């Protein structure tokens, strides 16, 4: 079992940011990555539909003999995790919401936390609930930032268009912090800045696996003082801890190609766009077309 | 049969721009509109997958006793029309590509035509082929403008973000026309302007049902001199002509609610976003959830 691969599932290519973090955190492991590209995006679909799709994908991955299942999709984690845990037994199942919520609670001083995500994740309320479970006095605001997904997939994650869209979504959330950050340079009076800061989140959770691609534009829009929590890195840490606790870490170094790619549609598009997300070339021949 | 409804099919809400044009062109008719919102977008999926989905949707619509089928989706028209025509007999089937190509050939003086569409429509090449069939000397350039879809669905079809994205996509296509339009104001020398004009399309086809929503931003990006062909209006005209030719027009005025809405996912989202596209309120209670 220790030598078995880790199954990683996402609606498309976004989860490759999680896979990248996993491969860095666990360099000995093998992976099977499944992108349900035929049915993406999950972020605008109803909870029932997403839960059904996520369960089908998780079942498909279990047939590859995986020792651990990572739901590397915020929307699927948000609404599909209970159904997946109820139907798939014997392997640890790790979503991206819990690790992200934990990291946000650890990072935030004020307990005022902003979450940006897809429509489906925001509406499902899973981040809000997970954060409040860990820190009952927290104040969470969640904002759908749907266009970030299309921007990342179009390769327009940097530049003036990304900057203006990031401003459009984030200035309403962080306006006070931006004002106080710039006024600190101009004035020594801390009075009004403190009271406005209290209304402004000090931590921003990137609640969609596409969003780390837009980190530069997001940072520019919120200024230097807000902490950014990227659930890819926190999920990779949670997976490592789980494998260690359950004595499931792989012992030998991996084979030369330790990642197997599966997609439900257009292997060419998966390879082309996925290469940006994984930050290494994926060739269409490496991607297997599967039917769920 | 004359009293039967017209079936209109799209991957989501974009086809509502076609439905709006149809309802204006054919005020006596009844309509059944099916948006395959569970499986959208079609624009980034493989031709085989889109053709299969489109055929399922067309079969579902035929069960409503429609007298005519309108494929109000460029991607589905582009790759699904032959399969739909082969499987569904006895009713006229009208896509959006042919009427758009005809209107473009009629509008263009130079025969140099630009088409903007989804990735799937551009890659399928159906507009390019349809235009060249009608006008063999035409020069067609096709450009995927994938972000326009997300912008329209987010309700960001006007304003600085829409303008900058329209410029990003369209300036490379129409740069020469824009230069010459502005230089005409400054200089009387027509020499270089003419030779650059010859390289620039004089007509732009909006090859996706979402794009009429962005007409203002598109017009601003290409300047006043380029003709814009909107396939919604041209398709509505083609449907009217077909019904008249086959004696299928409805004789009596319509019932008070002549449109029936079907969606394969999230009737709430369909109603909310669809209202912008149809430019009249749609209530979630009006939308029936169907399974294909």
């Amino acid at each position: 079992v220790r030598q078995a691969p880790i199954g990683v599932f996402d609606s498309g290519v976004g989860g490759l940011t999680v896979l990248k973090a996993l491969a860095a955190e666990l360099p000995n492991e093998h992976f099977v990555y499944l992108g349900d590209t035929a049915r993406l995006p999950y972020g605008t679909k109803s909870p029932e539909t997403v839960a059904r799709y996520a369960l089908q994908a998780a079942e498909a991955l279990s047939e590859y003999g995986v020792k651990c299942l990572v739901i590397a999709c915020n929307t699927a984690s948000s609404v599909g995790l209970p159904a997946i845990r109820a139907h798939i037994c014997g392997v640890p199942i790790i979503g991206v919401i819990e690790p992200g919520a934990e990291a946000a609670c650890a990072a935030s001083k004020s307990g005022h936390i902003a979450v940006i995500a897809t429509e489906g994740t925001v509406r499902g309320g899973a981040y809000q609930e997970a954060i409040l479970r860990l820190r009952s006095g927290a104040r969470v605001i969640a904002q759908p930032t749907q266009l970030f997904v299309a921007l990342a997939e179009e390769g327009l994650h940097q530049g003036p268009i990304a900057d203006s869209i990031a401003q459009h979504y984030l200035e309403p959330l962080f306006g006070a912090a931006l004002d106080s950050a710039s006024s600190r340079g101009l004035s020594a009076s801390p009075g009004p800045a403190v009271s406005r800061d209290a209304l402004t989140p000090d931590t921003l959770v990137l609640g969609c696996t596409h969003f780390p691609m837009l980190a530069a534009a997001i940072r520019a829009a919120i200024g230097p003082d807000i902490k950014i929590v990227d659930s890819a890195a926190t999920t990779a840490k949670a997976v490592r801890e789980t494998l260690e606790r359950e004595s499931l870490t792989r012992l030998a170094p991996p084979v030369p190609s330790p990642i197997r790619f599966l997609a439900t549609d257009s292997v060419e598009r998966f390879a082309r766009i996925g290469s940006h997300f994984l930050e290494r070339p994926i060739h269409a021949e490496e991607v297997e077309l599967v039917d769920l």
Side-chain angles (χ1 to χ4, degrees), chain A:
Chain A
V1 176
R2 293 187 90 119
Q3 304 305 94
I6 297 171
V8 182
F9 159 62
D10 179 44
S11 58
V13 294
L16 292 171
T17 61
V18 179
L19 179 64
K20 191 176 63 183
L22 283 165
E25 185 85 21
L26 294 157
N28 279 352
E29 299 293 337
H30 293 181
F31 299 93
V32 185
Y33 180 94
L34 168 60
D36 189 11
T37 46
R39 305 192 292 195
L40 64 80
Y42 284 9
T44 51
K45 294 190 169 65
S46 68
E48 298 73 29
T49 299
V50 170
R52 187 159 47 91
Y53 287 179
L55 182 58
Q56 286 172 354
E59 282 169 346
L61 269 178
S62 2
E63 288 172 22
Y64 288 81
V66 297
K67 66 181 172 188
C68 167
L69 207 47
V70 181
I71 313 302
C73 169
N74 283 269
T75 310
S77 297
S78 157
V79 301
L81 216 45
I84 295 172
R85 284 192 172 135
H87 283 84
I88 292 177
C89 305
V91 297
I93 296 163
I94 294 155
V96 288
I97 307 267
E98 288 288 336
E102 273 176 41
C105 289
S108 175
K109 281 194 181 158
S110 67
H112 196 178
I113 296 165
V115 179
I116 53 174
T118 63
E119 268 188 55
T121 303
V122 168
R123 208 177 38 220
Y127 268 106
Q128 296 94 312
E129 282 167 31
I131 290 169
L132 288 169
R133 243 189 336 262
L134 293 164
R135 186 163 170 172
S136 58
R139 218 162 21 150
V140 188
I141 43 171
Q143 163 78 45
T145 56
Q146 199 62 44
L147 271 175
F148 282 175
V149 177
L151 277 178
E153 300 217 337
E154 276 280 272
L156 285 172
H157 38 87
Q158 281 187 305
I161 291 174
D163 288 342
S164 65
I165 293 177
Q167 277 164 24
H168 166 78
Y169 285 127
L170 297 170
E171 269 181 7
L173 299 181
F174 292 98
L178 290 169
D179 289 353
S180 78
S182 60
S183 71
R184 260 178 307 180
L186 298 168
S187 141
S189 152
V194 168
S195 72
R196 296 174 81 188
D197 271 354
L199 293 169
T200 301
D202 67 355
T203 302
L204 173 66
V205 181
L206 307 188
C208 172
T209 54
H210 282 72
F211 297 176
M213 300 287 286
L214 288 136
I218 291 169
R219 174 56 78 197
I222 65 176
D225 297 339
I226 311 292
K227 287 188 190 113
I228 293 180
V229 171
D230 162 1
S231 54
T234 56
T235 300
K237 240 182 81 187
V239 172
R240 183 176 51 71
E241 287 165 4
T242 302
L243 293 184
E244 284 169 0
R245 195 173 56 237
E246 311 211 358
S247 305
L248 285 170
T249 47
R250 195 168 190 280
L251 300 172
V255 295
S257 295
I259 303 176
R260 189 165 172 180
F261 299 102
L262 315 172
T264 54
D265 194 18
S266 189
V267 296
E268 181 277 333
R269 186 173 208 270
F270 182 95
R272 175 166 50 86
I273 299 185
S275 300
H276 302 299
F277 283 76
L278 196 59
E279 289 184 282
R280 78 138 171 94
I282 303 173
H283 304 286
E285 306 78 53
E286 288 180 80
V287 188
E288 296 161 57
L289 189 67
V290 296
D291 200 9
L292 296 186

